[in-house]
Amino acid sequence: MIRVERVIHGRPYIETKDGPRFKPCAPNSVLARLGDKWTILVMSHLAVAPGHRLRFSTLKGGIEGITQRMLTLTLRNLERDGLLVRHYFPEVPPRVEYELTEMGASMLPALEGFTSWIRENWPRIVDCRHAYDEAQQRAEDQDAPV
Amino acid sequence: MIRVERVIHGRPYIETKDGPRFKPCAPNSVLARLGDKWTILVMSHLAVAPGHRLRFSTLKGGIEGITQRMLTLTLRNLERDGLLVRHYFPEVPPRVEYELTEMGASMLPALEGFTSWIRENWPRIVDCRHAYDEAQQRAEDQDAPV
DNA sequence: CAGGATCCCAACTGATACTG
DNA sequence: CAGTATCAGTTGGGATCCTG
């Protein structure tokens, strides 16, 4: 069986007799990180901050509903990926600042392109969800009419 | 307290005395969907398919490791968001095809911009993770040396 | 101030079996 | 073929309490 490796829409895949088969999506783990509950909000704050730099308490105060634990975890994960760096000042009380790395900042345009699409289409998505849910509801009502 | 609503980097936020406070990120639910384990793979397959259209079994065969259940759930969620439509043919055996909607197809360029950034920076991210994990390991070894 | 350590519940995911 | 139903394992996220 011949397996030719190609690239389309920028994605590598293997052409088989059953159609294209994409290789297991490694970069998916990046999207998984960004898709979690708080990461985008953290990145957005740093994006608009002077010097792409903010301290822990400012982030916590600026993100409604985030707990200390989740902010810490989110920042650790971003630091692990090399998207931001942690600056620790051993004063009393201690002060910690987080700053986007060059790589972190380089992600902003791509991120912006995506969120911009979301903003434009969000109302329509909401409508679709409602329509779908109501159609679903009507179907159930018909299956079990009281 | 004065609260001025502004927009920066395309994101709406409120200027407060403590800095910018972003509104709870509604569109996050879109990124959360895309960040799950299979959605991007499904979208990629439909993106390169003729007519942006594929049948269930083709998708299942083209995505390594996906179970019937997870493919069904993924497709249902995308359908609910209006990104694809389901075409059911009541034959025996039944045949079902999934096709990107106009809105679904309009997302592809933005998605491509993002995944392209990921591809370019992925090796570096992997390096950062390894470096971080090893530094972490060394720190633990020092705390508890045998 | 900036977290680390625990506990706990809900949601996501997968394996398996069954069906129109 | 293209699902649905059920059960079980794992993970994510929040609440709470404690500390250098």
Side-chain angles (χ1 to χ4, degrees):
Chain A
M1 181 174 170
I2 301 171
R3 291 156 66 98
V4 185
E5 186 144 4
R6 296 167 182 279
V7 173
I8 193 164
H9 280 224
R11 291 182 58 74
Y13 71 101
I14 296 167
E15 190 67 53
T16 74
K17 64 173 175 6
D18 303 321
R21 169 177 286 263
F22 289 91
K23 318 206 73 166
C25 185
N28 172 301
S29 67
V30 176
L31 278 164
R33 166 114 324 128
L34 291 165
D36 78 5
K37 200 169 177 182
W38 304 108
T39 300
I40 297 288
L41 285 167
V42 169
M43 290 296 292
S44 296
H45 270 263
L46 287 169
V48 305
H52 289 167
R53 187 168 175 145
L54 289 173
R55 59 183 299 181
F56 186 88
S57 52
T58 308
L59 279 167
K60 182 160 188 332
I63 301 177
E64 199 167 324
I66 197 169
T67 60
Q68 218 167 29
R69 170 189 156 84
M70 290 317 296
L71 179 55
T72 300
L73 285 177
T74 303
L75 290 167
R76 284 294 173 282
N77 282 325
L78 288 172
E79 186 191 5
R80 178 168 179 260
D81 287 354
L83 298 175
L84 54 77
V85 281
R86 180 174 186 268
H87 300 284
Y88 175 70
F89 303 91
E91 313 163 351
V92 270
R95 176 167 55 100
V96 179
E97 295 181 357
Y98 293 90
E99 181 188 13
L100 286 185
T101 60
E102 187 196 347
M103 178 163 66
S106 78
M107 196 191 68
L108 296 179
L111 180 59
E112 163 56 17
F114 206 94
T115 54
S116 140
W117 180 89
I118 295 179
R119 266 192 310 284
E120 282 170 27
N121 293 273
W122 179 243
R124 206 163 149 192
I125 293 178
V126 172
D127 286 349
C128 288
R129 289 184 182 178
H130 280 102
Y132 184 92
D133 291 346
E134 283 174 12
Q136 202 69 16
Q137 192 55 47
R138 280 194 299 278
E140 284 175 20
D141 290 349
Q142 221 171 22
D143 282 354
V146 180
Chain B
M1 179 174 170
I2 300 172
R3 290 156 67 97
V4 185
E5 185 146 2
R6 296 169 182 279
V7 172
I8 194 163
H9 279 226
R11 291 181 57 74
Y13 71 100
I14 296 167
E15 190 66 53
T16 74
K17 62 171 172 16
D18 303 321
R21 170 177 284 262
F22 288 92
K23 318 207 72 168
C25 186
N28 173 302
S29 68
V30 177
L31 278 164
R33 165 111 328 124
L34 291 165
D36 77 5
K37 198 168 176 183
W38 305 109
T39 300
I40 297 288
L41 284 167
V42 169
M43 291 296 291
S44 297
H45 271 262
L46 287 169
V48 305
H52 288 168
R53 187 168 175 146
L54 290 173
R55 60 184 299 181
F56 186 88
S57 52
T58 309
L59 280 166
K60 181 159 186 338
I63 301 177
E64 200 167 324
I66 196 169
T67 61
Q68 217 168 29
R69 171 188 156 82
M70 290 316 295
L71 179 55
T72 301
L73 285 177
T74 304
L75 290 167
R76 286 292 174 284
N77 282 325
L78 288 172
E79 186 191 5
R80 179 168 179 260
D81 286 354
L83 298 176
L84 54 76
V85 283
R86 181 175 184 267
H87 300 284
Y88 175 71
F89 302 92
E91 313 162 351
V92 270
R95 176 167 55 99
V96 179
E97 295 182 356
Y98 293 89
E99 182 189 12
L100 286 184
T101 60
E102 187 197 346
M103 178 164 64
S106 78
M107 196 191 70
L108 296 178
L111 180 59
E112 163 57 17
F114 204 92
T115 53
S116 142
W117 180 90
I118 295 179
R119 266 193 309 283
E120 281 170 28
N121 292 274
W122 180 242
R124 206 163 149 193
I125 292 178
V126 172
D127 287 348
C128 288
R129 289 185 182 177
H130 280 103
Y132 183 91
D133 291 346
E134 282 174 13
Q136 202 68 17
Q137 191 57 46
R138 279 194 300 278
E140 285 175 20
D141 290 350
Q142 221 170 21
D143 282 356
V146 182

